[in-house]
Amino acid sequence: MLSIMIVVHHLEASRSQRVLWALEELGLDYEVRRYARDPKTSLGPPELKAVHPLGKSPVVTDGDRTLAESGAILEYLVGTYGAGRLIPPAGSAERDRYTYWLHYAEGSAMPPLLLKLIFTRMQSGRGLPFFARPLVRAVANKVLDSFVDPNLTLHLDWIEAELGRSTWFAGEELTAADIQMSFPVEAGVTRAGGAHKRPRMAAFVERIHARPAFQRAIAKGGPFEILG
């Protein structure tokens, strides 16, 4: 292990779990500072704003540097400490795919998954006045049927097809793009259709769960449920 000053400000059951996994894959030494979610709102505590003004997680500090956004953090870790690991060679076709999936994960894949979560919760009417529930449910059903579900199906079918090209998203070797894509893939399997509909995505989840580095990250980060 290298003696460095990396601190992961880790909000329970959050995207910062990917950062812990990347650090374990790279064999880096780091400290985990834990933050609990508010039991009512599920939001992070005010203490996170002392680290970064948005009060979100993941946030990583490395000496005098403070980095936010999981994709940016992974790029920093791989570029600074990776020594060629978790990234395909520059100029290769695999590198192009790597860059695409690294940014696609949050830029394109997560928005429909989050909309699915939000409008599904609206369907339940939980926390709403009784008289408002029918209207809210009707709106939620309309948005899900006409916009969210068709877009989500489009993206998940695309991911499923692309996983037929190679073992991992950028080729035959695990990269940081796979770490970044783990969140939307697992969300797609557990929250939007199930493993039987998209066996390649399900197999991807099984592969990442079997990795010792992933298991060590879970042990350090605590119980983790996608889009819980």
Side-chain angles (χ1 to χ4, degrees), residues 59-178:
V59 175
V60 166
T61 54
D62 186 9
D64 60 356
R65 294 180 173 179
T66 299
L67 303 111
E69 294 293 336
S70 52
I73 292 169
L74 294 185
E75 285 195 89
Y76 171 79
L77 294 175
V78 169
T80 305
Y81 300 110
R85 293 170 294 172
L86 296 183
I87 186 170
S92 65
E94 289 79 8
R95 183 65 163 266
D96 292 340
R97 291 175 65 190
Y98 165 88
T99 302
Y100 173 81
W101 292 110
L102 191 70
H103 293 278
Y104 170 88
E106 292 293 332
S108 294
M110 283 308 300
L113 284 162
L114 290 172
L115 287 173
K116 176 74 171 179
L117 176 66
I118 292 167
F119 282 98
T120 299
R121 287 180 175 176
M122 287 175 62
Q123 280 181 316
S124 72
R126 191 179 308 163
L128 294 172
F130 178 78
F131 65 86
R133 291 177 188 174
L135 177 60
V136 172
R137 285 173 180 158
V139 171
N141 289 336
K142 180 67 174 178
V143 174
L144 284 167
D145 291 344
S146 64
F147 179 73
V148 176
D149 286 342
N151 275 280
L152 185 54
T153 297
L154 177 67
H155 281 278
L156 295 181
D157 286 349
W158 162 247
I159 293 170
E160 177 74 10
E162 285 294 296
L163 281 172
R165 296 180 59 186
S166 54
T167 302
W168 301 103
F169 276 100
E172 296 306 316
E173 300 292 332
L174 178 86
T175 70
D178 299 292

Side-chain angles (χ1 to χ4, degrees), residues 17-86:
Q17 191 65 45
R18 291 182 294 197
V19 176
L20 302 184
W21 178 20
L23 288 163
E24 290 293 335
E25 291 284 355
L26 292 171
L28 300 176
D29 192 17
Y30 62 96
E31 175 188 347
V32 179
R33 293 185 187 170
R34 300 174 182 273
Y35 300 82
R37 292 182 182 272
D38 184 286
K40 292 183 178 179
T41 67
S42 294
L43 298 176
E47 291 81 2
L48 266 175
K49 288 189 176 180
V51 185
H52 188 277
L54 294 181
K56 302 292 186 180
S57 182
V59 175
V60 166
T61 54
D62 186 9
D64 60 356
R65 294 180 173 179
T66 299
L67 303 111
E69 294 293 336
S70 52
I73 292 169
L74 294 185
E75 285 195 89
Y76 171 79
L77 294 175
V78 169
T80 305
Y81 300 110
R85 293 170 294 172
L86 296 183

